[in-house]
Structures are given as structure tokens and as C-alpha cells.
Amino acid sequence: MSVLEVRNLEKKFGKFTALDGVNFEVRSGEVFGFIGPNGAGKSTTIRVLLGILKANEGEVKIFGKDAWSDAVEIHKRLAYVPGDVNLWPNLTGGEVIDLFVKLRGGNNKSKREELIKKFDLDPTKKCRTYSKGNRQKVALIAAFSSDADLYILDEPTSGLDPLMEKVFQECVLEAKNEGKSVLLSSHILSEVEKLCDRVGIIRQGQIIETGTLNELRHLTRTHILVETKQPIASLTELKGIHEVEETEQGLSFQVDTKELDIIIRHISQFGIVKLESAPPTLEDLFMSHYENKGEREVGGVR
Amino acid sequence: MGQNAFTNTGKLTRLIFRLDRIRIPLWIIGLAIFTFIVPPTFDGLYPSQQDRDAITSTLANPAMTAMLGPGDLENYTIGAMTAHEMLLMTAVITGLMAILLVTKHTRADEEDGRIEMIRSLPSGRLSYLNATLAVTSGAFLLLTLVIGFGLFGFGIESMDLEGSLLYGAALGGTGLVFAGVTAVFAQLSESSRGTIGWSVAILLGAYLFRAITDLSNEALSWLSPLGWVTKAEVYSSNNWGPIVLMLAVAILLFVIANYLNSIRDLEQGFIASRPGKRNASRLLQSPIGLAFRLQRTGFISWAIGMYVLGASYGSIFGDLESFFEGNEMYQQMLQLSEGASLVEQFIPTLMVVISLIATIPPIMAINKLRGEEKKGRLDHLLGRAVSRSRLLGSYLILSVVNGFVMLSLSAIGLWSAGNAVVENGMDFGMLFGAAFVYYPAMLVMIGLAAFLNGFLPKQTSLVWIYILYSFFVLYLGNMMQFPNWVGQLSPFGHVPQVPIEDATFMPLFILSVIAVGLMILSFIGFRKRDIAN
């Protein structure tokens, strides 16, 4: 069952088309990673999901309700953390957290205190004095101390230190274990890799790929490092071979994952001494979509 | 330390000069225009010594002394008159200029991390502070010369070069003193808001202290820097002593600021910021509570300001009668319109001004919505279970109540001061009515502001132009004899002139309907549009 469903979403700002038919869904109980470079339309999509922007075309449903007309009803069960948290300079962090929790309805005092301690925030300081990371903590504490069914997190960790990032990841996993759904937009691909069940990649206002990481990996290349008894003949003539490089450890190259079988068969004829393979990272996956057809140099085997 | 603390002060002075090359000239030009329009006007209004002596009787009362300080009423030349009625007020504005200029380049730059950048370069620890003080001092020297030679340039008999330069120096000196005060508070306080708040408090405190001591014990006025301005007795005895005092105090304050700056860490202050509240009060936990909380300080300041404005107008009511009593020509002129008393004749003109000023805070209250939107903070609310109607409604209610409070307080101020000085007292109901006939017109302005917020969010400042237009055509228009329709383009032009006229129902009803219509439309627009930032 899907908690969030986006169909053919189109959003124009004047003549500029920001979103050009976006399609994806977030299923109940899953963490969905939403990745794409700056200006691809991530934040615009999220603002449409929140009913802050009105879609020109398409259908956006959250909990089966329309994101624009039923915004208030939806928001009672939804928590949002923006990437750029702008707070009121003359209110304290504690006041803002209370305000946010109260505005959603529902109250979870013990969770609030626990999270304040976990995130190591001083709630008696005015927001004016907070750094970017601390402002993000305010938003995160407000979000996770409310009992939401769907969390929409827009680059929530861009200002956090590694320790706090870990606390954040625990919060997301905890929410997931409780059966909550999460839409996580992020630049930190290792984080997405660690947390997300499924990933959607957006480019120029269109979702160009969705699926589990495993599914997506098939669409990209595997790193291979191989040492053979005899030199491998006519390797570069095979389909799906990229970035061939002689290194001290052996021959390094990348293989389109769907051609892997044929390539390995071919290589094995030359007597394999050593074979190392590494799955593509999300970064490779990401890059493969944004590079100009793989012309760019990618590092060797990791 | 030592020499190194001042490295590159010269270059930084040039930088700050470059940053402020528009701001400082604007201030100086503004203050100069404000000063220069007065002597020729007085010269035109009161050409003979007899005319001037006639009005000294209206000025020789405690309310006027409290407001303007003591003046040379015995020998009330054009010069003495200008110095008496203008100098202190201009000095207060000059003090404000000093506070804003100095805060901008001390605590505000520090708060935003710009001084950190400067300090990471080969510049001294005290360079930026002293560069700021150098630029500010230069600005006030320029102000002194512009005002001094400018006033002398009018060639008015009683305004000689020495007096004119002293007039300028009193302004420049006040500026220097408050530049020093601000520089010290910029070290003490931890935020630019705190710096401005403390410095303005000192400025107002100096003004009030002077007002009280001028009435009770003039010698004590020497304790207030603003007391020195009147003690200079510009255009009468031309006393330069207070100017020397100002310079000495300014230098002392500069030295203290430098010392405090040298012993503190960057981005720290001496007045520890109190820890704030751990939890939000019940009041804060709703959109309207938040909106009110964000505007609380401004609201209270405006409320006090409106009361004082009303009271200061009210305090001249008593003198109005005595002023006109001895002047047959004025009496004949005014008696053309019915049998109302002189004070009552003045009330409608006064109320247009007061109600237009009272319209400013409610418009600011509703336009705050757009301000919050631009800063991306509405997303926090709309991303939670807050509907757009509730959000706009909260700001609208605050604005409508705000306008009501402002208008009421100015009427109460007017009445409380007027009642004390007018012989047989004043009717509160009459004054209140005269103020509240303007409420529907004010609501139209609020409605228009809401409408712009709903449909043309990028053009929300248009409402200010409309208010400025109303002020111009209704206040100045009276003097300039514009045709009727020019005034009627403003909602304030349709308001009956209570108490001279009856409060007729129709125009007020129509204004109210327009106001409500605009407000309803604003909800439709606000619910349909994108929230941008």
C-alpha cells in the first residue's frame, strides 16, 4: 500500500518548467531516498507535497488525500524538516519546538526531552545564536517528537556533524521499525545507501530511475580488478566494458552489470589468478546518470 | 597588541566609507532639509518681532518646555525661534542616526560574521572599531559644517555665522556622544538588537530626564547630554561650553569602547544574555499567538508612541484658545464655519493626521505575513496542521485589533492632555467619536493590504504608497487647495468631519463594506496561490 503517490506532477514557474511529469510513490513502512543534484526539482516536489505550491498538472495523494485541498488533514499525520531551517531569531529553541509540536496537534513530552538530550541541544538559547546545525536539530527534534505516520525530510543533515548524523540515522531507523514511512531527500549518498529501501533519482524535473538499490545496481557497472596468466585478448572489443586501465595489481575495468556473465566467461579463458569485484556504489549510480555517457574518469576498484 | 592593534585602520576606514557612501549622505541631506525648511518658513509666517512675541505666550508652558526644552522667549528672534523649536528634536534624530550607523558596523557586522573575516586578514584587533568611529566622526563633522554654513547662508539677520556653526556643532556633538554610547554598548551587549535597544533607551532616557529636570531643576539638566543641546543657547548667548563637554564625553566613550573591545573575545559581550524559556507558554502555541509574539515589542512601542502623540497634540489645545483670543483676524477667519469652538474646528484636521499615523502599525502587522513568507518561515506552519485561512485570519485579526488599539490610545492621549489644559475640560465621547469615524477608512487600508497579500504578494508595499498619497492630499492638500476628487481617491477623504459635521451613516457603511469585501477576497487569493520564498 502506498502512503504517498505522485502521478504526472507538473509545476511551472512562469515559462520555466520546474517539474515535468514526476512519478513515484512511497510505500507504507519504507524509507524512500529522493536524490538528485541542486536544481533538479527535489525541493519543489516536496513543497508541492506539502501543499505550499500548487501543482499545474498531475495528481499528488498522501494517505489517499489530495495534497493541496486536504493539506491540513494530511499534515496532522506528517512531519517535515526543511534543509534550510529559518527560525525566529527572538524565540528560544525550546519555544519553537513546543510551537511546532503543538501546531501539529499531539504532544509527547518525554520524547521531546529525550531527543533534546540525544541531539545535545540547549533549548534555552535564542534561535538567533544557533548555528545551521543547531537550527536543524530544532526542526528534527520537533519532527521526531511528534507521532507522525510520514516523515518528509529535505536534506535534513547538511549541517550536522558526523555524531549527530548518526543520531539522526537512529531516529529514522526507529521510525521505520515502528512502521512509519519516510521520504528522505539527501545529497549524502552514503546516508541514503544506509537508510533507504528504495531510491528515486530526479533530473531536470523528471524521475529518471526508481527502484531498490539492488534493482538499480543492475542498471549500472560493477568494478572488476583481475589478474590473469595470459593477457586478455580483445577485451575492449566486448560490449559493456569501460575504463580499462593497467594497474600494478592487475587489470582494472568497469562492466555494465547486465553484461557481467559474458565478460566473466571471456576472461576465465585466460586463467584467472586473482579476481576482485565491487558492487557499484550509489555514487556511481548517481554519476552514471549525470555524466555525459560515462566519458568522465571514475576511480578504480575500491 | 600595542601598535598592531590598529593595523590597517586606514584601509578599513576607506572600506566603511565605501559601504556607507549612500547611507551617510542620505542622512545628512535629510537632516539638512529638515533644518533648512524651517527658518524661511518662520520668516514668512512671523515677519515682525510683534508676531513672534505673540506666540511666545503659547510656548511659555510646562508641556512645551518639556517637549522642546527652554528657549530664549525674551528675545524671540527667527534664530532663537528656530533653535528653540527645532534644535532638540533634530538632535534626537541625529542621536538615532549615530546609533544606527555605529551598530551596523560594530555588533551587526560582528554578529553576521563579517568582522571574523576582517580579523582573519592582517588587520588589528581594534582597527574595525576605530575605522567605524573615524567614519562616523567624519560624518558628524560634515553635518556640522553643512548645517552651520547652510543656516548662515539664508542671510537672516538674527542668524550669524557663530550661532549657525554652534547650531551645527550641537547636532554633530550629540551625534558623537551617541556614537560613543553605541560603541560602548556594542561591546557590552551580545546582539545588534541589544545594542540598538540599550542605546535608544539611553537616548530616550536622556530626553525624558532633561524634560523632567528642565521643569523641576534646570541645573540637574546638565546630567543629560540632550540637556547640553539647549544649554548651548544657540542664537542668543552662543555658549560653546556644552560642545566642549560633548567632545570630551565622546572621546572618553571612544576610549572605553576601545578598552572593552581589547579585553573581550570576538562575538562575546559583557551583558550576559539571559537563558530563555525552555518551554513555550500556552499563549505562544498557536498561529495567532506566534504572530502576536513576533510583533509584541513593536506593538507596545507603537501603542506608547500613539498615546504620546495624542497627548502632545492635546497639550496645545489650551494654548490654542488663548492664542486665537487676542487675534481678531484669525477669529474671523475661523468663525466662518458655524459656532463650534476653536478646538473643535481643529480636531478633524488633527484626526486625519493621527488616524493616518495610526494606520501604519496595523499595516505593518498584516504585511508581516509576507515578510515571514519571504524568510521561508511560513513553511514551518503550513507544513503542519495549520490552514492558510487560519494563518491569514490570525494576521488579519491582529491587524484589525492593532488599529483599534492605536486609534483608541491616541484618542485617550488627546483627551487626557486636552482635558487638563482646556478650561472647561473636553468631552471624551466627542473626541473618541472624532477618532473612530476614521476606523472604517483604516479598515479599507488593512483590507487592501490583505488583498495584496492574497493576490499580488510581490506588490504588498503598494499600500504604503496609497497611505502616503492619502497623507499628502489630505494634510497638505488643505493648504494647497486641491480639487475635491483628489482627496476622495483616498478612503480617508470620505470620512465626515466630526465634530463639525455629523457622523453620517452612509459613507462609513460603504467604507466598511469595501473593507470587508477586500478581506474576504484576500482569503480566496491566499488560499489559491503558491507560497514563495
Side-chain angles (χ1 to χ4, degrees):
Chain A
M1 202 197 86
S2 65
V3 173
L4 186 159
E5 227 184 317
V6 179
R7 292 277 161 264
N8 291 321
L9 169 61
E10 239 184 82
K11 176 69 193 169
K12 289 188 175 126
F13 295 112
K15 278 185 186 150
F16 173 70
T17 305
L19 301 178
D20 189 10
V22 170
N23 285 293
F24 69 94
E25 60 169 6
V26 177
R27 294 171 195 155
S28 179
E30 78 172 357
V31 180
F32 185 84
F34 193 38
I35 59 180
N38 296 325
K42 294 193 299 293
S43 291
T44 306
T45 307
I46 287 179
R47 288 163 67 81
V48 174
L49 294 180
L50 291 169
I52 287 169
L53 297 182
K54 188 168 184 174
N56 295 95
E57 211 62 61
E59 195 183 51
V60 181
K61 290 218 180 284
I62 300 179
F63 307 129
K65 294 179 182 128
D66 185 77
W68 173 262
S69 53
D70 298 323
V72 174
E73 274 311 302
I74 291 169
H75 295 175
K76 286 178 185 164
R77 296 171 57 194
L78 175 155
Y80 165 59
V81 176
D84 207 355
V85 185
N86 209 331
L87 300 174
W88 299 273
N90 48 343
L91 299 185
T92 65
E95 285 178 311
V96 171
I97 292 171
D98 282 356
L99 171 73
F100 283 176
V101 172
K102 183 77 184 179
L103 288 182
R104 179 176 300 106
N107 200 354
N108 199 336
K109 264 276 182 293
S110 62
K111 193 76 185 283
R112 171 192 191 269
E113 294 306 318
E114 179 198 322
L115 285 167
I116 286 177
K117 198 174 278 172
K118 249 183 166 174
F119 276 107
D120 195 21
L121 179 84
D122 181 352
T124 63
K125 279 209 170 123
K126 301 266 180 188
C127 293
R128 177 186 315 123
T129 64
Y130 283 147
S131 63
K132 179 179 163 77
N134 276 328
R135 289 200 303 272
Q136 250 164 358
K137 286 183 195 173
V138 169
L140 284 168
I141 292 169
F144 285 112
S145 61
S146 44
D147 281 323
D149 294 322
L150 172 65
Y151 294 85
I152 295 185
L153 313 171
D154 189 1
E155 293 177 32
T157 56
S158 47
L160 296 185
D161 62 47
L163 256 122
M164 291 307 141
E165 207 181 304
K166 194 150 173 287
V167 175
F168 163 75
Q169 290 174 4
E170 285 166 21
C171 287
V172 172
L173 289 176
E174 198 179 311
K176 187 188 162 186
N177 289 338
E178 288 166 14
K180 315 285 175 68
S181 320
V182 180
L183 172 68
L184 173 65
S185 141
S186 181
H187 270 147
I188 305 169
L189 299 175
S190 62
E191 180 180 278
V192 174
E193 216 161 21
K194 209 179 287 175
L195 294 174
C196 296
D197 304 306
R198 291 194 315 129
V199 173
I201 302 178
I202 187 169
R203 184 178 63 178
Q204 290 169 0
Q206 282 178 318
I207 300 277
I208 43 175
E209 216 69 76
T210 41
T212 63
L213 275 173
N214 269 337
E215 283 165 3
L216 293 188
R217 280 190 175 125
H218 284 289
L219 301 170
T220 180
R221 304 169 190 165
T222 303
H223 294 282
I224 301 284
L225 178 74
V226 65
E227 211 185 315
T228 46
K229 287 181 190 144
Q230 294 123 35
I232 304 167
S234 61
L235 180 67
T236 45
E237 283 151 38
L238 290 172
K239 226 176 100 196
I241 294 277
H242 308 270
E243 320 263 345
V244 183
E245 211 178 325
E246 286 280 1
T247 69
E248 281 173 31
Q249 291 88 27
L251 194 64
S252 143
F253 55 85
Q254 294 175 20
V255 183
D256 283 348
T257 307
K258 56 183 184 223
E259 309 289 339
L260 199 56
D261 188 41
I262 300 163
I263 308 257
I264 297 293
R265 276 168 209 253
H266 178 81
I267 296 171
S268 61
Q269 302 165 28
F270 302 93
I272 295 176
V273 178
K274 188 175 92 181
L275 177 72
E276 287 174 18
S277 85
T281 59
L282 189 56
E283 193 174 327
D284 299 324
L285 215 141
F286 191 78
M287 290 300 177
S288 71
H289 281 291
Y290 288 100
E291 274 167 35
N292 296 328
K293 305 289 170 208
E295 294 305 321
R296 195 172 157 273
E297 290 277 318
V298 177
V301 175
R302 295 189 207 172
Chain B
M1 280 302 281
Q3 282 284 298
N4 285 337
F6 301 99
T7 309
N8 272 334
T9 304
K11 277 185 193 155
L12 291 174
T13 306
R14 281 211 294 281
L15 167 71
I16 294 175
F17 191 73
R18 163 71 181 71
L19 294 173
D20 282 352
R21 65 181 173 173
I22 308 278
R23 194 172 294 113
I24 289 177
L26 273 184
W27 270 107
I28 293 179
I29 291 168
L31 284 167
I33 291 174
F34 188 64
T35 306
F36 292 159
I37 53 169
V38 172
T41 314
F42 282 169
D43 204 23
L45 284 174
Y46 312 100
S48 75
Q49 190 59 44
Q50 226 178 334
D51 297 323
R52 295 191 286 269
D53 288 339
I55 64 156
T56 53
S57 60
T58 75
L59 295 168
N61 67 55
M64 277 303 171
T65 308
M67 221 155 81
L68 303 172
D72 187 9
L73 298 178
E74 305 297 299
N75 185 19
Y76 215 50
T77 59
I78 293 287
M81 191 172 177
T82 308
H84 179 215
E85 298 195 10
M86 294 300 297
L87 184 53
L88 185 63
M89 281 299 164
T90 318
V92 171
I93 299 172
T94 311
L96 202 62
M97 162 187 173
I99 291 169
L100 295 177
L101 283 182
V102 174
T103 306
K104 181 156 178 39
H105 290 301
T106 50
R107 198 39 93 163
D109 273 350
E110 190 168 334
E111 202 171 48
D112 294 342
R114 284 187 286 268
I115 291 190
E116 189 177 331
M117 294 286 294
I118 300 281
R119 284 273 288 272
S120 71
L121 300 166
S123 71
R125 203 158 291 163
L126 299 173
S127 303
Y128 204 71
L129 172 64
N130 287 295
T132 306
L133 293 176
V135 170
T136 318
S137 304
F140 287 121
L141 179 66
L142 188 64
L143 178 73
T144 302
L145 297 176
V146 167
I147 299 272
F149 286 108
L151 284 175
F152 177 64
F154 283 110
I156 291 168
E157 194 195 345
S158 56
M159 299 171 79
D160 55 355
L161 184 59
E162 191 195 351
S164 300
L165 283 176
L166 182 60
Y167 192 108
L171 294 180
T174 311
L176 284 181
V177 169
F178 283 96
V181 168
T182 314
V184 170
F185 277 112
Q187 315 307 319
L188 295 177
S189 167
E190 245 177 12
S191 67
S192 59
R193 270 171 71 110
T195 306
I196 292 177
W198 283 104
S199 308
V200 169
I202 296 281
L203 180 69
L204 294 181
Y207 183 81
L208 282 178
F209 185 79
R210 181 215 50 78
I212 295 163
T213 50
D214 272 351
L215 296 179
S216 55
N217 182 348
E218 269 203 56
L220 275 180
S221 280
W222 281 100
L223 291 176
S224 161
L226 289 176
W228 306 339
V229 173
T230 54
K231 305 278 191 217
E233 301 185 6
V234 177
Y235 293 127
S236 47
S237 65
N238 284 344
N239 182 1
W240 285 85
I243 307 300
V244 177
L245 197 57
M246 283 176 183
L247 287 179
V249 168
I251 290 169
L252 181 69
L253 288 168
F254 288 4
V255 171
I256 294 173
N258 267 292
Y259 172 71
L260 292 174
N261 197 350
S262 71
I263 61 167
R264 74 179 173 92
D265 288 337
L266 194 68
E267 279 158 38
Q268 299 293 312
F270 292 95
I271 303 171
S273 57
R274 282 177 297 131
K277 286 187 186 148
R278 203 179 174 82
N279 291 301
S281 67
R282 192 147 280 282
L283 179 73
L284 178 59
Q285 299 182 5
S286 65
I288 195 166
L290 172 69
F292 176 71
R293 172 67 188 274
L294 295 175
Q295 308 179 21
R296 192 174 57 188
T297 317
F299 176 78
I300 293 171
S301 318
W302 270 98
I304 295 170
M306 289 313 297
Y307 177 84
V308 171
L309 182 75
S312 50
Y313 275 121
S315 66
I316 60 167
F317 278 166
D319 305 317
L320 224 52
E321 301 255 302
S322 59
F323 175 46
F324 288 110
E325 247 162 44
N327 198 322
E328 278 176 42
M329 195 183 78
Y330 280 116
Q331 271 187 346
Q332 274 173 351
M333 226 171 73
L334 280 163
Q335 254 152 29
L336 289 176
S337 41
E338 301 162 52
S341 80
L342 280 167
V343 171
E344 284 170 0
Q345 306 264 347
F346 267 90
I347 287 174
T349 322
L350 202 59
M351 280 303 176
V352 179
V353 180
I354 288 183
S355 63
L356 276 165
I357 295 175
T359 305
I360 296 172
I363 297 296
M364 284 166 71
I366 183 88
N367 276 355
K368 175 92 178 159
L369 181 66
R370 173 67 186 158
E372 289 286 294
E373 177 181 347
K374 274 198 268 186
K375 293 201 173 106
R377 296 192 200 124
L378 287 192
D379 295 12
H380 294 309
L381 306 186
L382 293 176
R384 299 189 159 77
V386 175
S387 69
R388 293 181 178 219
S389 304
R390 191 166 163 215
L391 191 60
L392 176 61
S394 300
Y395 277 87
L396 204 51
I397 289 170
L398 272 186
S399 171
V400 167
V401 172
N402 184 316
F404 183 86
V405 171
M406 296 302 157
L407 215 47
S408 309
L409 281 174
S410 53
I412 292 170
L414 201 57
W415 174 78
S416 58
N419 197 40
V421 293
V422 172
E423 244 168 73
N424 299 319
M426 298 191 77
D427 181 14
F428 181 70
M430 180 271 287
L431 274 178
F432 213 74
F436 268 86
V437 283
Y438 285 97
Y439 194 50
M442 182 194 267
L443 290 181
V444 171
M445 286 294 182
I446 295 174
L448 178 66
F451 178 85
L452 291 172
N453 266 291
F455 284 96
L456 296 166
K458 287 190 179 124
Q459 265 77 45
T460 44
S461 47
L462 282 182
V463 68
W464 293 118
I465 295 174
Y466 197 30
I467 289 175
L468 206 67
Y469 170 84
S470 304
F471 188 82
F472 187 73
V473 297
L474 293 172
Y475 182 56
L476 302 177
N478 269 348
M479 290 184 230
M480 299 188 182
Q481 312 266 316
F482 286 138
N484 261 351
W485 63 267
V486 174
Q488 283 176 351
L489 284 180
S490 160
F492 289 81
H494 294 275
V495 175
Q497 307 262 298
V498 176
I500 316 174
E501 297 174 12
D502 286 333
T504 37
F505 173 75
M506 227 24 203
L508 298 181
F509 177 72
I510 291 171
L511 285 174
S512 307
V513 168
I514 292 173
V516 171
L518 283 169
M519 289 177 193
I520 291 170
L521 282 175
S522 73
F523 280 93
I524 295 170
F526 194 67
R527 279 165 58 173
K528 266 207 221 141
R529 73 175 174 87
D530 287 347
I531 301 293
N533 54 16

